Amino acid sequence: MRRILLVEDEKMIRYGIYVMIENSGVPYSEITECRNGRDAVECLKRDRYDLVLTDIKMPVMSGLELSKWIYENLEAEERPLIAAISGYAEFEYVKGMMKFQAVDYLLKPVDREELGKILWHAEEILRAKGVESPEKMNCGSEAEVTGVSRLKMQRAVDYIRQNYGKPIDMAEVSNYVSMNYSMFSSTFKEYTGENFSTYLRKLRLEKSKKLLCNTDMSINEISQGVGFEDARRFAKVFKEETGMTPTACRDKMLAEKK
């Protein structure tokens, strides 16, 4: 899956769903957050998305109105898949959204496993349509990664995205997909455009930035949560990559949000 548009007016619920998507293992390149349907429409006017995951009852513009706008204003090939987030009392609205080609719905409170099923269902639809995952799009030498190797690399990437918070290494992942260590190393780089350690480090830092900006977790808690052995190592790698300490980065991002 390339790009996801997450539309939910309640900040904590929106963030909770965001984290669930990140930990689902479903491939994506970007998650854009919106507080209501009107903001989502502005995003859809500027960019194309593969999946819109939207609450139904929101101020300013509801999920039903958003789905109708998508159906009436975007060409068929430009329309994203739509999945509704609904309360039990809103099921009539869900049926209304199905009329505008919503592919699935999710009941509140959002369950991690149910959300995962919906995301993978959407991913299967996208792949059937020929929409490639971000890892494939980023591969500079994809022609050299074919057949079984491509499937194994997708499994490897999914495994890394699900387990980056643990002390995983290339030996573990290559064993998971049943590939020779050296063959895995070269094939992984061809598939993703980066070597294993760089890919894992960037993923962990990407996740850490989200936690710095959206939670009050301590630096030590964040470092452990994204898979670094200790806070000192995390701070060193973070500064090497971003040019600032985790604390300075948090202060900067919070100031920009005000």
Side-chain angles (χ1 to χ4, degrees):
M1 188 177 295
R2 294 179 185 176
R3 308 184 73 195
I4 299 173
L5 188 61
L6 173 58
V7 193
E8 164 62 60
D9 61 307
E10 295 187 50
K11 182 178 180 180
M12 293 309 297
I13 293 178
R14 188 171 68 245
Y15 177 67
I17 295 172
Y18 190 112
V19 172
M20 290 182 196
I21 296 172
E22 287 190 319
N23 294 327
S24 68
V26 174
Y28 66 90
S29 60
E30 179 183 342
I31 305 173
T32 301
E33 300 175 66
C34 293
R35 294 175 296 177
N36 54 61
R38 185 174 65 187
D39 290 347
V41 165
E42 293 306 310
C43 289
L44 289 161
K45 287 179 180 178
R46 294 191 302 267
D47 300 301
R48 289 184 64 168
Y49 291 87
D50 297 295
L51 173 67
V52 173
L53 187 60
T54 179
D55 190 10
I56 292 180
K57 296 186 71 174
M58 296 180 291
V60 184
M61 185 178 189
S62 71
L64 180 60
E65 292 170 318
L66 171 61
S67 299
K68 182 179 180 182
W69 184 91
I70 291 172
Y71 185 78
E72 293 179 345
N73 291 274
L74 297 181
E75 297 295 330
E77 63 274 11
E78 297 178 338
R79 290 176 199 151
L81 301 178
I82 302 172
I85 305 170
S86 167
Y88 286 101
E90 301 162 7
F91 194 70
E92 289 301 317
Y93 291 97
V94 173
K95 291 196 291 187
M97 291 186 69
M98 294 300 178
K99 183 174 71 173
F100 300 117
Q101 299 183 346
V103 297
D104 222 325
Y105 69 93
L106 183 68
L107 292 175
K108 291 183 179 180
V110 176
D111 178 79
R112 185 187 307 272
E113 290 188 6
E114 291 302 314
L115 175 59
K117 290 177 183 178
I118 287 175
L119 293 173
W120 279 112
H121 178 219
E123 177 65 13
E124 289 171 1
I125 294 173
L126 290 170
R127 289 181 182 178
K129 289 181 175 181
V131 181
E132 294 182 327
S133 65
E135 288 79 9
K136 293 179 182 179
M137 294 296 293
N138 292 336
C139 175
S141 305
E142 186 183 351
E144 299 179 26
V145 185
T146 59
V148 175
S149 293
R150 182 183 291 116
L151 294 175
K152 287 187 174 184
M153 287 302 101
Q154 184 61 59
R155 287 186 65 215
V157 167
D158 291 346
Y159 184 83
I160 294 167
R161 297 192 74 90
Q162 290 175 319
N163 295 281
Y164 67 87
K166 302 174 184 177
I168 60 173
D169 56 24
M170 192 164 70
E172 176 181 337
V173 182
S174 63
N175 183 62
Y176 175 76
V177 297
S178 303
M179 283 188 75
N180 171 275
Y181 185 89
S182 59
M183 177 63 74
F184 176 87
S185 177
S186 59
T187 307
F188 186 87
K189 186 171 183 179
E190 289 173 0
Y191 186 77
T192 65
E194 297 174 317
N195 64 40
F196 179 87
S197 59
T198 299
Y199 183 91
L200 180 58
R201 183 178 71 252
K202 286 185 176 180
L203 176 62
R204 285 170 166 168
L205 291 175
E206 172 194 325
K207 305 302 184 184
S208 72
K209 289 178 183 177
K210 291 293 181 182
L211 294 174
L212 286 167
C213 185
N214 294 297
T215 76
D216 58 1
M217 293 170 64
S218 69
I219 302 301
N220 188 56
E221 289 172 330
I222 291 173
S223 68
Q224 293 180 359
V226 298
F228 284 89
E229 60 267 30
D230 57 60
R232 180 178 296 181
R233 171 65 178 165
F234 167 61
K236 181 177 184 295
V237 173
F238 193 96
K239 188 169 184 178
E240 288 174 351
E241 191 73 26
T242 67
M244 63 182 78
T245 66
T247 300
C249 183
R250 167 178 269 170
D251 292 342
K252 181 175 182 292
M253 289 189 293
L254 291 177
E256 290 173 350
K257 288 179 69 174
K258 291 180 180 179

